[in-house]
Amino acid sequence: MATPSEVTTILEFDEKDIQTIATRPQKPLKIVEYRPEWPAKFAELERRIRQALGDRAVVVQHVGSTSVPGLAAKDVIDIDLVVADPTDEATYVPDLQAAGFQFMFREPTWYQHRFFHFEEPYTNLHVFGADSPELVRHRLFRDWLREHEDDRNRYTQVKREAAEVTAAEGGSVQAYNNRKEPVLRGILQRVFEAHGLATPSTKS
């Protein structure tokens, strides 16, 4: 299990550490209003994953913006899948691929993250080990936004602004993520403080 220090210390993302397996066309960067069908889409994907892996799928959880009722989002289902050992790819990659999930890349230096794509509904499947602090952050952030309308609205606003500027520039999803990162980090800090994981910050 991740320690409080690990949860509050976010490893910086470095594109040069990505080991690319496959590529996909970039989906148009567009923020849409919350869609009530998103939970049902996740449920069907969860069924597909568990049918493929059985008890090797330790945890399957809906994360990201489509998991927060009322939050505008890209029409992309994000899923965290926990397996016993992400580095032991032979125990889960072939079965996920047979179930229609395309293996896109691995990030050995970033929480041993593995990333898969499913075409319809358009899905990002993130594979981690049970001790990954990223799992905790995803869950805490999701639950906080579900319960705190002010931060939900704040996050919606920055997502719309970041998507508009990035799309106008023809930028990447990573550029979009970078633009909204300061607001996301600010919300996470409040989450960490509320859960006793970080000391309240002070502003002069």
Side-chain angles (χ1 to χ4, degrees):
M1 180 178 293
T3 66
S5 176
E6 289 171 333
V7 172
T8 58
T9 303
I10 301 174
L11 292 181
E12 296 301 325
F13 168 81
D14 193 335
E15 290 188 1
K16 69 178 177 57
D17 293 331
I18 295 177
Q19 298 176 2
T20 301
I21 310 298
T23 60
R24 63 181 178 182
Q26 182 169 313
K27 185 180 177 71
L29 190 52
K30 180 181 179 183
I31 303 298
V32 300
E33 295 298 330
Y34 178 79
R35 295 179 176 174
E37 65 265 27
W38 283 335
K41 289 184 176 182
F42 162 73
E44 175 56 27
L45 290 159
E46 179 184 19
R47 183 200 63 78
R48 181 182 289 267
I49 292 166
R50 292 194 180 280
Q51 188 173 58
L53 298 183
D55 59 9
R56 288 169 291 163
V58 180
V59 174
V60 183
Q61 64 177 359
H62 191 186
V63 295
S65 294
T66 60
S67 68
V68 180
L71 180 62
K74 302 191 306 304
D75 187 15
V76 178
I77 306 297
D78 278 285
I79 299 174
D80 280 348
L81 166 63
V82 176
V83 298
D85 181 2
T87 68
D88 191 1
E89 295 177 357
T91 63
Y92 65 92
V93 171
D95 288 329
L96 285 177
Q97 290 178 317
F101 294 90
Q102 184 180 14
F103 190 14
M104 305 300 295
F105 60 82
R106 65 174 69 88
E107 294 178 275
T109 64
W110 194 76
Y111 308 113
Q112 288 294 347
H113 176 229
R114 269 62 175 170
F115 182 89
F116 293 76
H117 165 68
F118 193 81
E119 183 60 31
E120 183 56 43
Y122 198 92
T123 301
N124 296 332
L125 176 62
H126 308 273
V127 179
F128 296 102
D131 60 349
S132 172
E134 191 71 359
L135 293 168
V136 181
R137 286 192 290 270
H138 285 177
R139 176 176 53 78
L140 290 176
F141 189 72
R142 176 198 66 195
D143 293 350
W144 181 270
L145 290 184
R146 285 175 174 176
E147 298 170 0
H148 294 81
E149 183 179 6
D150 53 346
D151 275 335
R152 190 164 64 244
N153 292 338
R154 186 174 292 112
Y155 194 47
T156 294
Q157 180 179 350
V158 74
K159 281 155 58 71
R160 291 190 188 280
E161 293 171 353
E164 182 178 357
V165 173
T166 304
E169 293 181 349
S172 65
V173 172
Q174 189 57 45
Y176 159 78
N177 288 338
N178 291 342
R179 283 191 168 94
K180 64 186 179 71
E181 186 74 6
V183 170
L184 184 150
R185 294 281 184 110
I187 296 172
L188 272 177
Q189 180 64 26
R190 287 190 285 280
V191 174
F192 296 155
E193 292 171 6
H195 286 83
L197 299 172
T199 302
S201 57
T202 58
K203 296 181 180 180
S204 57

